[in-house]
Amino acid sequence: MIVFDHVSKTYPNGYQALKDINLTIEQGEFVAIIGLSGAGKSTLIRTINRMHDITDGTLTVDGVNVMELKGARLRQFRRNIGMIFQSFNLVTRTTVIKNVLTSRVPELPFWRALLGAYPKKDKLEALEALDKVGILDKAFVRADQLSGGQQQRVALARTLAQNPKIILADEPVASLDPVTAKQVMDDFRRINREMNISVLINIHHVDLALQYADRVIGIKAGEVVYDGPASEVNEAVLAEVYGGQFEAGV
């Protein structure tokens, strides 16, 4: 369970990205976060794994106060939270399976990490993760030979190899064509349902948010202006979230 209790975030330059956020996200939910660029969507999800620190309020994950974590405890906490970016963040000059195996590096003895000597168990788990996203046949292909959609699936497999409880995705399909974007969203939804992993996706494509998510959170100027079932999002809600620009967000 993720709980935002009167959470705010102000950057050093004085910009307030989040304003008094109160949210509770249960384990296994599929949540889409929508809003204009600069509304605070990315900041919201990045506070969950402490990529950004909050400045007011309390943020807890499974009862743990995120802001109290330091050092080894923070690193271990982050192992339970996968993060996927728009830009894939792959090492493109190496193979797909080696990219997936990088998720295991924090748990390896130094000499194994240095030599890339991964245990057989880790290799099998990496192959299983690739199989779950439908690209097992690409395991020994260089990442730079894959399409954008395939590269995002590698990023998702790398995250699955962490055995996370939560997956955070920051615009994961923004750079993909519509057909490929739906294929990747299919992967997210299947993993969410089959593995009971909480999925929080910051997404510009409202049509995909409504098609795939169970719950939609609309953010405007750092404030939550809608939080409810995807099935109840209508033009009035979109007008509230996007203002006069809501058609551009659909």
Side-chain angles (χ1 to χ4, degrees):
M1 179 187 292
I2 303 167
V3 180
F4 290 81
D5 184 8
H6 297 287
V7 168
S8 296
K9 166 65 179 178
T10 302
Y11 286 102
N13 63 2
Y15 177 72
Q16 191 172 15
L18 299 177
K19 305 172 185 176
D20 197 33
I21 303 294
N22 292 283
L23 294 168
T24 298
I25 298 167
E26 301 288 346
Q27 183 63 37
E29 284 197 88
F30 193 132
V31 181
I33 303 165
I34 64 173
L36 292 170
S37 296
K41 304 187 304 297
S42 292
T43 301
L44 181 73
I45 66 171
R46 292 177 186 220
T47 60
I48 296 171
N49 63 354
R50 279 279 301 276
M51 286 186 70
H52 293 323
D53 289 343
I54 64 174
T55 46
D56 292 291
T58 304
L59 173 57
T60 59
V61 177
D62 291 338
V64 176
N65 187 329
V66 174
M67 289 302 295
E68 293 180 351
L69 298 172
K70 296 179 181 180
R73 287 188 65 211
L74 177 58
R75 291 191 293 272
Q76 185 57 44
F77 167 78
R78 285 174 169 162
R79 295 289 300 151
N80 293 319
I81 303 177
M83 185 78 190
I84 295 176
F85 302 90
Q86 176 181 342
S87 57
F88 319 135
N89 285 12
L90 302 181
V91 182
T92 55
R93 293 187 176 184
T94 193
T95 61
V96 164
I97 190 168
K98 286 184 179 179
N99 272 278
V100 176
L101 284 165
T102 60
S103 68
R104 311 299 298 177
V105 168
E107 298 180 0
L108 292 180
F110 175 76
W111 71 270
R112 280 191 176 274
L114 184 65
L115 298 175
Y118 297 96
K120 182 178 180 180
K121 176 178 177 292
D122 287 357
K123 293 178 182 178
L124 290 174
E125 288 183 357
L127 292 171
E128 287 177 8
L130 288 169
D131 191 33
K132 287 174 182 174
V133 296
I135 53 171
L136 179 59
D137 60 319
K138 304 295 183 182
F140 299 100
V141 174
R142 273 180 37 150
D144 58 6
Q145 296 179 18
L146 303 183
S147 67
Q150 289 171 331
Q151 289 191 48
Q152 193 59 288
R153 284 174 163 172
V154 175
L156 181 53
R158 179 181 58 197
T159 293
L160 289 179
Q162 294 179 217
N163 298 312
K165 294 181 179 179
I166 300 166
I167 292 177
L168 309 175
D170 195 1
E171 296 292 351
V173 298
S175 62
L176 305 179
D177 64 78
V179 173
T180 306
K182 287 188 175 183
Q183 292 172 344
V184 171
M185 291 296 289
D186 283 340
D187 290 331
F188 277 112
R189 183 166 62 182
R190 186 180 65 257
I191 288 163
N192 164 254
R193 292 181 176 177
E194 293 180 359
M195 303 178 70
N196 196 40
I197 295 174
S198 301
V199 175
L200 285 78
I201 291 185
N202 161 16
I203 189 166
H204 275 298
H205 299 286
V206 175
D207 56 335
L208 294 179
L210 301 186
Q211 181 179 349
Y212 287 94
D214 303 311
R215 175 181 174 186
V216 170
I217 295 172
I219 297 182
K220 181 179 181 181
E223 298 180 292
V224 173
V225 295
Y226 177 79
D227 179 12
S231 59
E232 295 182 10
V233 174
N234 53 31
E235 288 192 5
V237 169
L238 295 177
E240 177 67 19
V241 175
Y242 292 97
Q245 303 177 58
F246 81 92
E247 290 185 357
V250 176

